[in-house]
Amino acid sequence: MDPEEIQASGNPVEVLRRKGGDYTDNFPVVPNEQTNWLDEQRAVTETVSLANLSHHMTSLRVTGPDARDLLRDLSVNSFENFEVGRAKQLVMCNPNGHIIGDGPMLRVDDEEYYSAGMLSANWVRYNLETGDYDATVETEPRTSAHEGDPEKFVFQVQGPNARDVLEQVTDADLDSIPFYHFEEIDLAGVDTLAVGHGMSTEFGFEFIGPYEHADEVREAIVEAGQDYGLEQLGSKAYHTLSVKLGWVPPGVPPIYNVEEMSDYREWLDADSREATYSIDGSFVSDDISEYYMDPIELGYEKLISFDHDYVGREALEEKVEDPDRTLVSLAWDEEDVIDVYASLFRDGETKKFMDLPRIAWGRANYDEVLHGDELIGLSHSRSYEYDAGTIISLCSIDVEHSEPGTEVTLVWGEEDSPNPKVERHEQTEIRATVGEVPYSPDQRKGE
């Protein structure tokens, strides 16, 4: 179904709850496991990891005299001090201040901007086509959505031993490249952009280069990492990294039941990212707008600027003035998690199964978080983290309950789910403790 058909159904929530499957389906070409997900996940924090992100993201290139104006008109970020060689995590909203998508954007030239993975790429294309901009927008979907190889390889090398490994394949001084800056370097004999960025909190870099050299660069990194415990990440291990980092996918696209978004909704097709969303979790509402999220509750308040006009600015000014929710991490109680698995071996109804490591059958997760009987937040991305020894999730929580150490309760399981992926079970409650975001210190920034 395309977004207009979902809207016409009269109940977008029911349609999105009915969808959903294996989250690893969204990660083409790269296998679920290169060796086994547990050793791969351990390598990220104990030795060094190599993640191949070349195939599952939509790239976006914006060029021309009005490239900056187009992106600036859509982004909450300030474009001051956005010179060539810098990157910004661009955040884009609808007129109501709800987030449409985000992603790291590199300014590679005076009139050229490039992102290897931008969740709001369709929104940029739409505004170019319907606006008055002297610019060109090029997008490249994930590998499974087009013929041939991608234009660029995208590799991330991170972990305590990353510096030792990278010294074997480049003479560049990577320590001189600050966080969210980039330089062109020689990486294993290939001209490559080295970006101070990565989806783990560990030290490392993202490398972007011509795909025809992907195999030789990857093989050189793997060979250099043999003595340093390098593991290549499969999709299962990779999908757990964003949880500790504190990045939440923007969730349900805020295009339904919003009059200002009707033209965009009609413009989208059935294969678009916006049309393929699905939701799971214990939170159920007939009002689709209750699934929309704003940049503040996703931890992006510090990126919001009011030094220019952009879509959603007026709404965000009100939200920043008096925010309802903020982003925290939740550490789930180990005994309560064990009890969920123990129910499989006891008489009586079982609890909802947790398929490790990333626990998801919808693309966006929404679990109720309570304080007593009061709904105080929604828990999103959830995964088992080996170094934490339990399940960690990210939670948009009422500001008054956001203090680290606060004890809350998460409702686990779904009543009357229309999704055949969800087996019969009984709901249960899991105790959880509020923590900071990121969950562990961000070594990418030298913290």
Side-chain angles (χ1 to χ4, degrees):
M1 298 175 71
D2 63 35
E4 192 60 19
E5 291 176 309
I6 295 174
Q7 170 73 13
S9 73
N11 192 344
V13 172
E14 186 72 4
V15 174
L16 298 184
R17 291 186 71 213
R18 196 180 305 124
K19 292 184 174 185
D22 187 346
Y23 68 92
T24 59
D25 290 344
N26 299 315
F27 211 88
V29 180
V30 176
N32 287 347
E33 297 173 295
Q34 300 279 4
T35 52
N36 65 84
W37 69 260
L38 189 50
D39 280 344
E40 291 167 18
Q41 190 188 73
R42 286 170 172 162
V44 177
T45 56
E46 295 179 357
T47 54
V48 60
S49 63
L50 168 61
N52 182 358
L53 314 187
S54 310
H55 301 284
H56 77 282
M57 302 187 295
T58 296
S59 67
L60 172 68
R61 188 185 305 277
V62 184
T63 57
D66 292 343
R68 178 179 183 274
D69 291 342
L70 172 60
L71 294 172
R72 190 171 180 264
D73 289 349
L74 300 177
S75 303
V76 308
N77 315 69
S78 172
F79 272 58
E80 299 299 320
N81 301 316
F82 194 1
E83 63 268 13
V84 174
R86 290 201 63 173
K88 285 182 180 287
Q89 185 76 14
L90 294 192
V91 176
M92 302 182 189
C93 294
N94 76 352
N96 295 337
H98 292 123
I99 189 168
I100 290 178
D102 64 330
M105 178 66 77
L106 284 59
R107 187 172 187 181
V108 296
D109 209 338
D110 289 341
E111 296 184 358
E112 181 177 0
Y113 297 80
Y114 176 78
S115 174
M118 179 60 67
L119 293 179
S120 47
N122 285 332
W123 181 237
V124 177
R125 283 179 52 220
Y126 167 79
N127 279 277
L128 173 73
E129 293 180 16
T130 59
D132 184 20
Y133 296 98
D134 183 7
T136 300
V137 171
E138 301 170 78
T139 61
E140 182 183 71
R142 67 183 62 192
T143 299
S144 56
H146 68 87
E147 295 183 1
D149 294 325
E151 177 192 4
K152 303 288 186 182
F153 69 73
V154 183
F155 297 147
Q156 288 181 1
V157 180
Q158 292 186 269
N161 295 341
R163 185 178 280 102
D164 292 327
V165 172
L166 294 174
E167 286 177 350
Q168 312 303 311
V169 290
T170 183
D171 292 328
D173 181 10
L174 296 177
D175 287 328
S176 68
I177 304 176
F179 184 61
Y180 261 68
H181 288 66
F182 64 92
E183 291 181 8
E184 185 172 85
I185 67 168
D186 180 315
L187 182 68
V190 176
D191 290 339
T192 304
L193 293 183
V195 188
H197 168 62
M199 286 302 290
S200 162
T201 55
E202 297 296 327
F203 170 84
F205 278 82
E206 179 170 289
F207 299 103
I208 304 172
Y211 189 79
E212 58 264 31
H213 297 294
D215 286 344
E216 63 190 87
V217 171
R218 181 185 56 80
E219 290 169 4
I221 295 172
V222 170
E223 182 178 357
Q226 286 182 350
D227 294 332
Y228 296 97
L230 183 141
E231 292 276 358
Q232 298 184 70
L233 302 186
S235 61
K236 286 187 175 183
Y238 173 75
H239 272 289
T240 68
L241 303 185
S242 61
V243 178
K244 285 202 309 176
L245 179 63
W247 180 74
V248 182
V252 173
I255 60 178
Y256 304 104
N257 298 355
V258 180
E259 180 59 32
E260 297 93 330
M261 300 299 286
S262 60
D263 289 343
Y264 179 55
R265 194 170 57 239
E266 293 175 6
W267 179 87
L268 292 164
D269 59 41
D271 295 325
S272 64
R273 183 188 72 89
E274 290 84 345
T276 57
Y277 248 85
S278 56
I279 54 180
D280 69 49
S282 58
F283 176 72
V284 179
S285 171
D286 292 332
D287 184 356
I288 189 68
S289 68
E290 293 193 28
Y291 292 84
Y292 301 159
M293 293 183 273
D294 64 56
I296 301 167
E297 61 185 318
L298 291 184
Y300 283 141
E301 183 173 2
K302 63 183 179 181
L303 298 184
I304 299 173
S305 170
F306 299 118
D307 66 357
H308 65 291
D309 291 328
Y310 53 85
V311 177
R313 171 179 169 160
E314 185 175 343
L316 285 180
E317 284 179 321
E318 296 181 13
K319 295 176 186 291
V320 168
E321 186 70 24
D322 186 23
D324 296 321
R325 288 180 171 172
T326 188
L327 186 68
V328 299
S329 61
L330 296 180
W332 297 16
D333 183 85
E334 297 93 332
E335 293 302 320
D336 289 352
V337 171
I338 291 171
D339 190 63
V340 170
Y341 287 97
S343 71
L344 295 171
F345 304 93
R346 297 172 180 160
D347 292 336
E349 198 68 75
T350 59
K351 312 295 173 56
K352 182 71 194 82
F353 181 64
M354 295 182 183
D355 187 12
L356 303 182
R358 182 67 179 259
I359 307 165
W361 48 98
R363 290 188 65 182
N365 322 129
Y366 294 83
D367 290 314
E368 292 184 346
V369 176
L370 310 175
H371 189 266
D373 294 328
E374 178 188 4
L375 178 67
I376 61 167
L378 295 173
S379 174
H380 304 291
S381 307
R382 18 171 152 90
S383 72
Y384 171 78
E385 302 289 344
Y386 173 78
D387 57 330
T390 190
I391 308 298
I392 302 296
S393 65
L394 297 169
C395 177
S396 168
I397 199 168
D398 291 353
V399 172
E400 58 266 36
H401 297 287
S402 62
E403 184 69 23
T406 301
E407 299 292 330
V408 298
T409 301
L410 180 142
V411 179
W412 178 247
E414 304 179 46
E415 287 188 337
D416 302 321
S417 174
N419 189 339
K421 183 76 174 177
V422 180
E423 80 277 8
R424 188 186 76 243
H425 65 279
E426 68 174 4
Q427 283 188 320
T428 190
E429 294 185 347
I430 295 177
R431 292 166 292 172
T433 303
V434 171
E436 296 181 346
V437 172
Y439 183 77
S440 54
D442 194 345
Q443 305 296 333
R444 303 173 308 165
K445 303 178 183 180
E447 297 178 7

